[in-house]
Amino acid sequence: MRNDTRLLLCAAAVALAATGCKSNTVEETTAAEETTAAVEEALDPGTVTTLGEYVGVELTKDSTVVSDEELETRIQSILDANPEYTEVSRAAEEGDIVNIDYVGLKDGEAFDGGTAEGYDLELGSGAFIDGFEDGLIGVKTGDQRDLNLTFPENYGSEELAGQDVVFQVTVNAVKEVSDAVLDDSFVQRMSDFGTVDEFRADLLKSMEEEKEELAEQALQVAALQAVIGNSELDVNADAVEQQVNNQLAYYESMVQMYGMTLDDYVSIYGMTVDQFTEELRTMVETSIEQQLVVNAISEAENMEVNDDDLQFTADQLQMDLDELKENYAEELDTQAMVYKVVNYIIDNAVIQ
């Protein structure tokens, strides 16, 4: 679960008392606002006893070279995700795609969610209730078939759970699935390019840009962590616990909106609440350390956030600047200062 780049981007939000990192969405704020409204005044996060050297820091930037093997692996993943579909006149077999129209009837009446047109269904995928896909084995284009089925007792809809229904199915096409081959035809099907060479060149450029972005993010984290490692910090343990508790309250409020408990939520990630709490504690401790160092350097260098810094931050978070200003003005300024300090360290670093 822990992601150090994410820690850098969320340092301000976590260190400032904890409504949770807000870099992904502004819609999920209600629970956080209700939670933080009752939060006591944030405790002093701590002090910087000794600020380490932040000019001339030695850093190593990750390679942005895309190897032939990496390129071929990406191409193969694209081929695997986009197989060829060829219409056939034979009877449908397991593994084929059948394009169907269907209407689900209960007691002779169509029920909600039981009707579709032009639906591509892979036979054997298990996407539909038991008996639906098996009932279409052997159909041909133009066939009509009634499927007498029963919804499982534990089906999500109370109206349909355990109920007998009839699906009236019309088969529009039967398609055979085969592995895609990288040729001009595939390229033209999947992109605006006409040839394999053009496709390869564009994909290589995209992968290089991805690696460059990841390398820059890793360098940002490494820059700040290098200074933290050279500094002596006195982190307030009470402030850590306060922010951990605030984070837990935020998550509990958020998951309740979706009818879940915190146990339900963390189990999705294969964790217990205790493990989740420890991850939060590590994140909060790291974020406070980042906050302390950023504050110390910004004060030492008399830094102030300007419009360019705010725009840079919005670009990094891939969010609209006006939206950030409207909803998260304080957090935006603080995160902008994080980036300003980090970029100062990188601009004055020795990078290998």
Side-chain angles (χ1 to χ4, degrees):
M1 177 182 171
R2 184 179 178 188
N3 182 313
D4 287 334
T5 301
R6 184 73 167 164
L7 287 179
L8 175 64
L9 300 183
C10 295
V14 174
L16 278 177
T19 62
C21 181
K22 302 169 181 173
S23 63
N24 282 340
T25 180
V26 295
E27 284 80 6
E28 296 178 359
T29 59
T30 303
E33 289 169 352
E34 291 176 351
T35 299
T36 55
V39 171
E40 66 274 22
E41 183 177 353
L43 296 173
D44 186 341
T47 59
V48 177
T49 305
T50 303
L51 178 61
E53 290 295 330
Y54 55 87
V55 174
V57 174
E58 293 186 1
L59 300 173
T60 301
K61 184 176 181 179
D62 294 340
S63 171
T64 59
V65 175
V66 176
S67 68
D68 292 342
E69 181 180 0
E70 289 172 326
L71 178 59
E72 293 306 318
T73 297
R74 179 68 65 87
I75 289 174
Q76 188 59 52
S77 69
I78 295 173
L79 292 172
D80 292 342
N82 298 279
E84 298 283 352
Y85 300 100
T86 306
E87 288 196 26
V88 293
S89 58
R90 61 168 173 77
E93 302 172 354
E94 185 169 331
D96 286 341
I97 301 291
V98 288
N99 182 275
I100 56 175
D101 301 336
Y102 62 86
V103 178
L105 304 175
K106 177 177 172 289
D107 299 326
E109 298 290 334
F111 55 83
D112 290 342
T115 301
E117 295 182 353
Y119 186 90
D120 278 331
L121 173 64
E122 179 183 349
L123 299 182
S125 65
F128 280 38
I129 63 173
D130 287 348
F132 191 104
E133 294 169 33
D134 289 343
L136 296 179
I137 297 294
V139 297
K140 293 183 178 181
T141 301
D143 283 355
Q144 294 182 335
R145 184 167 293 189
D146 288 350
L147 305 176
N148 295 287
L149 305 174
T150 302
F151 276 92
E153 294 289 345
N154 61 349
Y155 192 69
S157 168
E158 292 184 6
E159 177 189 358
L160 296 174
Q163 298 298 305
D164 294 330
V165 296
V166 178
F167 282 97
Q168 297 177 338
V169 182
T170 299
V171 181
N172 302 317
V174 178
K175 305 174 187 178
E176 186 177 68
V177 183
S178 59
D179 292 338
V181 177
L182 184 62
D183 54 20
D184 290 351
S185 176
F186 175 82
V187 168
Q188 291 162 15
R189 174 164 71 92
M190 295 303 302
S191 71
D192 294 329
F193 300 108
T195 67
V196 171
D197 287 344
E198 291 173 332
F199 178 78
R200 279 182 176 275
D202 183 73
L203 182 59
L204 177 61
K205 179 182 177 182
S206 296
M207 293 179 67
E208 289 172 340
E209 290 173 351
E210 289 174 10
K211 276 205 163 185
E212 177 64 32
E213 182 177 353
L214 290 173
E216 286 295 329
Q217 290 177 351
L219 192 64
Q220 290 172 348
V221 174
L224 200 50
Q225 291 304 113
V227 179
I228 290 173
N230 292 331
S231 302
E232 294 182 10
L233 309 176
D234 183 13
V235 175
N236 184 346
D238 290 336
V240 171
E241 291 309 307
Q242 182 191 60
Q243 292 186 25
V244 168
N245 291 334
N246 291 346
Q247 286 282 321
L248 287 172
Y250 164 77
Y251 280 106
E252 287 173 348
S253 297
M254 180 185 70
V255 299
Q256 285 175 7
M257 295 170 60
Y258 300 97
M260 300 172 64
T261 67
L262 190 57
D263 290 279
D264 296 331
Y265 176 74
V266 300
S267 66
I268 296 173
Y269 301 96
M271 304 174 70
T272 65
V273 171
D274 286 344
Q275 291 171 326
F276 181 70
T277 302
E278 284 306 307
E279 289 286 349
L280 286 179
R281 183 171 288 106
T282 298
M283 185 175 73
V284 167
E285 288 173 347
T286 302
S287 297
I288 288 179
E289 290 173 346
Q290 292 176 350
Q291 179 197 19
L292 292 174
V293 167
V294 165
N295 290 347
I297 295 175
S298 63
E299 291 175 7
E301 297 296 329
N302 296 314
M303 293 182 181
E304 293 184 0
V305 170
N306 56 39
D307 289 342
D308 289 340
D309 299 322
L310 297 179
Q311 186 60 61
F312 178 85
T313 301
D315 292 342
Q316 291 292 300
L317 300 180
Q318 298 181 6
M319 293 186 68
D320 179 73
L321 178 57
D322 291 336
E323 187 176 25
L324 284 170
K325 285 181 176 179
E326 180 179 353
N327 294 281
Y328 306 109
E330 184 177 357
E331 290 91 337
L332 174 62
D333 285 346
T334 307
Q335 293 217 28
M337 183 59 78
V338 172
Y339 281 120
K340 192 178 186 78
V341 168
V342 168
N343 288 334
Y344 182 85
I345 297 171
I346 291 174
D347 290 344
N348 290 280
V350 178
I351 301 177
Q352 300 178 350

